[in-house]
Amino acid sequence: MITMNENISLDDVVAILGRTPPCLTALLEGLPDTWVTATEGEQTWSPYDVIGHLIHGEHTDWIPRARHIMAGERRPFDSFDRTAQFTQSQGKSLSELLATFASLRRENVAALVGMNLMSADLSRTGQHPELGEVTLGQLLATWVVHDLDHVGQIARTMAKVYADAVGPWSAYLSILRDRQRESSP
Amino acid sequence: MITMNENISLDDVVAILGRTPPCLTALLEGLPDTWVTATEGEQTWSPYDVIGHLIHGEHTDWIPRARHIMAGERRPFDSFDRTAQFTQSQGKSLSELLATFASLRRENVAALVGMNLMSADLSRTGQHPELGEVTLGQLLATWVVHDLDHVGQIARTMAKVYADAVGPWSAYLSILRDRQRESSP
């Protein structure tokens, strides 16, 4: 195993990145619309919306930014459009979106592995348009945590469909109170 | 589709219950220990611990309580042991636990479907040892939300492994601040 600086290892990163699409496909494929189109309220995203958002990241965020850093570019990364999925997913079934995400992710994990990164590469820096200087290691850790954040969001959004139906058991089910409406999605 | 009272449908319930084991297997099987044994701190559970907890629920909680209600029992349900996994999982690999969970869940979903519940059955009541009167519909909704709560917990616990490694991106990754240490697991 290549243990890297920045407290991450490429093996650990790839292990999660490769599992997110099969995990989400196993959870969402063929699921009734009750679950797939649910949101946590206005301005929040459904599981369907989240898959579109993950696809947009595969196209424009992670690997393009990793290449930008490795090329030594000094201009900031292009900004990431957090709502692109509302136009780009139009007319597509959830099943199509899941297949697209899985396919793009396979290509991008292969691209990441193909970069043959050395430990020292993880300290290379790029300029984030809002956050300033960031390292390649931080970018890869963020890719992983971003996946897990959205897995958690999907679980939470679906759980809240039954917020009332659980009756008194609500007291034991903390997920029903996570990210109450004062928070952003 | 059988739409039931209590705002749940048995089809929607079964759709989630059947997908939780393949979702968790896709996420966790073969994953490095970095992720599998991580916790959110003392008195919180690792993904490994959570799978043991889900197994204990399959043995003693959901179907036994549904049968208790359908049998018209007036005594309270047996209490559920929330820490049984710390003894029962001992010596077992995560892979074994995932296979056990999947197998028990298949049997229990088959048992649920085999009950041939009618809409009116969901209003039948039982006595919870702490919460008092609950309905069968609330029990089934709770089974679903309990699954999703633990899927979210696993995603959150693994995300926090990289809480520092993401650097300035932490500002955008709300999952890293969910259930800060003042909360219970």
Side-chain angles (χ1 to χ4, degrees):
Chain A
M1 183 169 83
I2 308 174
T3 299
M4 299 217 169
N5 60 358
E6 309 281 343
N7 300 314
I8 69 169
S9 90
L10 198 58
D11 286 350
D12 288 348
V13 165
V14 165
I16 298 288
L17 294 180
R19 281 166 173 82
T20 304
C23 167
L24 291 177
T25 297
L27 184 61
L28 298 176
E29 178 94 61
L31 205 57
D33 278 351
T34 313
W35 305 112
V36 169
T37 63
T39 69
E40 294 176 88
E42 282 183 41
Q43 307 292 328
T44 65
W45 296 354
S46 68
Y48 176 90
D49 298 331
V50 171
I51 304 303
H53 167 74
L54 291 169
I55 287 171
H56 191 64
E58 295 306 301
H59 281 304
T60 70
D61 192 335
W62 313 108
I63 288 291
R65 287 181 172 186
R67 289 190 168 134
H68 183 112
I69 292 172
M70 290 303 288
E73 290 265 18
R74 298 323 301 162
R75 67 181 168 82
F77 306 140
D78 293 336
S79 291
F80 182 73
D81 180 354
R82 289 184 69 258
T83 59
Q85 69 274 15
F86 294 110
T87 49
Q88 294 180 357
S89 295
Q90 275 181 9
K92 293 176 183 139
S93 69
L94 178 66
S95 187
E96 278 176 83
L97 296 182
L98 288 165
T100 300
F101 176 49
S103 164
L104 291 169
R105 177 57 62 88
R106 270 194 301 275
E107 291 169 22
N108 284 334
V109 167
L112 174 63
V113 172
M115 286 176 161
N116 294 309
L117 298 175
M118 311 296 288
S119 183
D121 292 325
L122 295 213
S123 303
R124 291 185 187 233
T125 57
Q127 293 299 316
H128 187 282
E130 293 166 357
L131 299 170
E133 188 171 276
V134 292
T135 68
L136 179 59
Q138 289 166 347
L139 175 72
L140 299 181
T142 299
W143 192 359
V144 166
V145 175
H146 180 267
D147 271 17
L148 294 167
D149 200 341
H150 286 297
V151 171
Q153 176 186 23
I154 287 171
R156 187 179 70 238
T157 301
M158 298 203 300
K160 288 181 179 180
V161 173
Y162 278 178
D164 293 329
V166 299
W169 266 292
S170 176
Y172 296 166
L173 297 163
S174 312
I175 198 170
L176 298 175
R177 287 170 295 282
D178 282 339
R179 315 270 186 109
Q180 297 280 32
R181 291 304 308 285
E182 65 275 16
S183 308
S184 65
Chain B
M1 183 169 83
I2 308 173
T3 299
M4 300 215 166
N5 60 359
E6 309 281 343
N7 299 314
I8 70 167
S9 91
L10 198 56
D11 286 350
D12 288 347
V13 165
V14 165
I16 297 287
L17 294 180
R19 282 167 174 80
T20 305
C23 166
L24 290 177
T25 297
L27 184 61
L28 298 175
E29 178 94 62
L31 205 57
D33 278 353
T34 313
W35 306 113
V36 168
T37 63
T39 69
E40 295 176 88
E42 281 183 43
Q43 307 292 327
T44 64
W45 298 353
S46 68
Y48 176 90
D49 297 331
V50 171
I51 305 303
H53 167 75
L54 290 170
I55 288 171
H56 191 64
E58 296 305 301
H59 281 303
T60 70
D61 191 335
W62 313 107
I63 288 291
R65 288 181 172 187
R67 290 190 168 132
H68 184 112
I69 292 172
M70 291 302 289
E73 289 267 17
R74 300 321 302 162
R75 68 180 168 83
F77 306 138
D78 293 337
S79 290
F80 181 74
D81 180 355
R82 290 185 68 259
T83 59
Q85 69 273 15
F86 295 109
T87 49
Q88 295 181 357
S89 296
Q90 274 180 7
K92 294 177 182 137
S93 69
L94 178 67
S95 188
E96 279 177 82
L97 295 181
L98 288 166
T100 300
F101 176 49
S103 163
L104 291 169
R105 176 56 62 87
R106 271 193 300 274
E107 291 169 21
N108 283 335
V109 167
L112 174 62
V113 171
M115 286 177 160
N116 293 310
L117 297 176
M118 312 295 289
S119 182
D121 292 325
L122 295 213
S123 304
R124 291 186 187 233
T125 58
Q127 294 298 318
H128 186 282
E130 294 167 357
L131 299 171
E133 188 171 276
V134 291
T135 68
L136 179 58
Q138 289 165 349
L139 175 72
L140 298 181
T142 299
W143 194 359
V144 166
V145 175
H146 181 268
D147 270 16
L148 295 168
D149 201 341
H150 286 297
V151 171
Q153 176 185 22
I154 287 170
R156 188 178 69 240
T157 301
M158 298 203 299
K160 288 179 179 179
V161 173
Y162 278 178
D164 293 329
V166 299
W169 266 293
S170 177
Y172 296 167
L173 297 165
S174 311
I175 198 168
L176 298 175
R177 288 170 295 283
D178 282 340
R179 315 271 185 106
Q180 298 279 31
R181 293 301 311 283
E182 66 274 16
S183 310
S184 64

